[in-house]
Every structure is written in C-alpha cells, then in structure tokens.
Amino acid sequence: METPTKFNLFEYYKLFSQQDIQISYKGPIDERILSVIGNYIEVILGKNPKASKKIFSIFIELAQNVSFYSAEFNELTDGKEIGVGTLVVGEFGNYYTFVTGNVVRNEDIIPVIEKCEIINSLDRDQLREYKRNQRRLPPGVKGGGNIGLIQVALTSCNPLDFEVTPINENYSFFSIAAKVDKE
Amino acid sequence: MKDIYIQGSRDVYIVPTVKFLAKQGSCEISGESFLEETIKFYQPLFEWLREFTAEIRKPITFNVKLTYFNTSTSKCILTLLGILKKFEDDGGEVTVNWFYDEDDEDMKDDIEDYVVDSGMKINLIPLD
C-alpha cells in the first residue's frame, strides 16, 4: 500500500540519531503531554539527579511557553485549542540540552528576542536582580510570572541559544535551547 | 478560624501539601508546586494569612519545604512573605524557616532572593 504523500520517517530518524536525542515530540502541548514527558525526564536523566532536576524545571517553563504562545493550534476532540510545538531533550558529551520550537507571528517575536538578548547580556547577579524586579510586576495575561525565560537562564547556567527562521511575511519559526552541564 | 489542610498529589499537575493550623500558629508548605491555576490555589492561603495576622495576631511560624516550584508559584510565595512582613512591621512575631537540600544551589539562590525581595529574615535549615 502506498501512502499518498511520501513521508520518509527514516530521514527524520537518521537526523535524530546523529545526535543523542533522548526524547522528541511534535504536536499539541497541553498538561497531559507536560506530565508524561516531565515524568519521563526524571526516568531518563535520573542517573544525574542535579541535571535532571534542572532540565525538568527548564522543560516546564519552556514547554508552557510553547503551549501558551504558539501561533499554530490543534483543536482537540474536547474542543480545546492547544498550542503546537516541538520539544527535544538531547544528551551530548558533557551536557544535556532541552530545545523547543514553535511557529510565532512576526509581530510577537520582537519582544521575545529582546528579552532573550537582555538575558544573555547579564551576568548571574544582574540576572537575579532582573528576575526580582520582573517578579514584582503584576502577572502576565496568561497568569505567568514574566520570569520564565529569566529562570530558564538562571537554572541552565548557560546563555539562551535562540534562533528565528522566517517562514513568510506573517510567521516565523522560533526555537530556543537551554544547556545544562553534566557535573 | 478554620485550619487548611491540603494533601499534596502528583497527577497531571503537582500539588503541594499545605498545613495551616490556626491554634498552633503554624503554617507549612511542602512537596512540589506546579499547578493549573496557581493564583486560584494560593488565594485561600493569602486570605487565611491575612485573617490570622489581622485577627488572631499570635506568634506565627512559617515553614517552607518545597523542593520544586515553577515561576508562577514563585510569585505567590513572595505574596505570602509580603503578608508576613506586614504583620511583623505591625508588631507581630514571625519565624520563617526554609528547609532545603544543601546540594541544591538554585534553591539557595532562590531563598537569598526572597530575603532581599521580602525583607524577611529566613532561617535556612538543611534537610537531612
């Protein structure tokens, strides 16, 4: 039997096998996915409890951002519209990485990039001060703390590695990776 | 004044265990905190503390034993500390103890940031 559109899963598999990808997921991201993958992070990285805890904390903040802010939605059978995105947990020589990617409206991307750039320009003490100042502000529209990305940078102890790939005049693909060094 | 007791659970979300005891003037939050509607969960705790510090006004001990909390929870903890600080400034007697894993540098930073932010003295107590 031939599938109407050829989708070569082996290419995808090869790409992910070149690097040590522990978990990859693409699809709607809601609390059920957060729960399953969140628990699985502890199972897979449990041999390194410190790093596992950090990746879990980073995963919760970044994956929630995708679920809240992705410009691509899937409507589930229960009628809920859920943000779609990609989540990857990878293990490399001396570090773990957690990456999210999602489609964003071009007009929404500038504040996110500006925030990432501010974060990357600060040292740890400045970053903590920035977090304290932002935490005092009223909650964001999604009830968030305004401090998710700052916390990710603090937990990761590495700069945020972010990239924007234009798709067309309305949308871009935004990806952000946070590294956690192994002990 | 009624006590608050919430048994923590870990299903889709992670609910912390909460014990707020009026007669003993003892409050404790333990476990992990990652909730669907963080403010909705913490609102009754704010109200309880406001009532206690306005009407009961007995010495109060606030014990935090959280091992993980997300950033939305982090704002609510600051609000709780703010209510205690106001009580202390009004002459109330407050003890804040934060139990933490000594290996957890991130948690240590978080507690230090709460000291700066809230102006409260927080006793750091290593967990066994």
Side-chain angles (χ1 to χ4, degrees), chain A:
Chain A
M1 201 178 87
E2 266 189 20
T3 44
T5 315
K6 199 166 178 213
F7 177 61
N8 193 333
L9 204 57
F10 186 59
E11 289 301 321
Y12 171 85
Y13 175 80
K14 269 198 301 191
L15 176 70
F16 276 71
S17 299
Q18 285 162 10
Q19 291 156 339
D20 200 354
I21 302 302
Q22 303 278 344
I23 301 171
S24 73
Y25 172 82
K26 191 260 172 194
I29 295 169
D30 66 1
E31 68 275 9
R32 286 164 285 201
I33 292 296
L34 288 183
S35 169
V36 170
I37 298 180
N39 286 328
Y40 224 68
I41 286 172
E42 292 177 351
V43 175
I44 288 180
L45 309 182
K47 58 183 185 289
N48 197 333
K50 263 191 195 179
S52 164
K53 196 168 179 209
K54 280 174 178 283
I55 289 286
F56 177 79
S57 158
I58 290 168
F59 158 79
I60 291 288
E61 300 298 333
L62 290 183
Q64 256 191 325
N65 277 355
V66 175
S67 134
F68 288 157
Y69 302 113
S70 174
E72 185 186 353
F73 299 97
N74 269 15
E75 195 183 325
L76 306 186
T77 46
D78 58 11
K80 275 192 195 166
E81 276 207 330
I82 305 294
V84 170
T86 301
L87 312 173
V88 174
V89 179
E91 181 176 356
F92 297 86
N94 55 351
Y95 65 91
Y96 296 103
T97 187
F98 177 68
V99 193
T100 63
N102 59 283
V103 176
V104 281
R105 290 186 162 277
N106 287 338
E107 68 237 42
D108 295 334
I109 192 63
I110 292 161
V112 180
I113 294 170
E114 280 173 356
K115 189 138 196 177
C116 290
E117 280 170 349
I118 293 172
I119 289 169
N120 283 350
S121 73
L122 302 176
D123 66 26
R124 192 167 182 84
D125 286 337
Q126 291 169 324
L127 210 48
R128 285 171 65 180
E129 192 184 341
Y130 184 42
K131 174 180 148 187
R132 292 197 300 268
N133 292 335
Q134 295 286 307
R135 186 162 61 185
R136 287 194 206 104
L137 301 174
V141 271
K142 304 280 185 182
N146 302 315
I147 54 170
L149 285 176
I150 308 172
Q151 188 60 56
V152 166
L154 280 168
T155 307
S156 139
C157 302
N158 279 293
L160 299 173
D161 187 3
F162 60 97
E163 202 175 335
V164 179
T165 312
I167 297 172
N168 56 36
E169 72 257 34
N170 295 320
Y171 296 101
S172 296
F173 189 79
F174 173 68
S175 78
I176 182 163
K179 266 166 67 169
V180 171
D181 297 322
K182 291 182 183 173
E183 287 293 302

Side-chain angles (χ1 to χ4, degrees), chain B residues 21-70:
Chain B
L21 310 175
K23 224 169 114 186
Q24 293 87 335
S26 157
C27 300
E28 185 173 300
I29 303 180
S30 58
E32 299 175 286
S33 178
F34 168 55
L35 300 139
E36 182 171 23
E37 291 182 276
T38 316
I39 294 168
K40 207 169 158 187
F41 180 87
Y42 280 91
Q43 191 65 41
L45 309 188
F46 301 158
E47 280 158 18
W48 191 97
L49 266 190
R50 286 196 184 104
E51 191 186 333
F52 184 93
T53 56
E55 288 165 24
I56 311 256
R57 301 191 57 81
K58 282 197 304 191
I60 187 166
T61 303
F62 194 80
N63 293 323
V64 186
K65 296 179 178 172
L66 289 171
T67 54
Y68 166 75
F69 50 88
N70 68 338

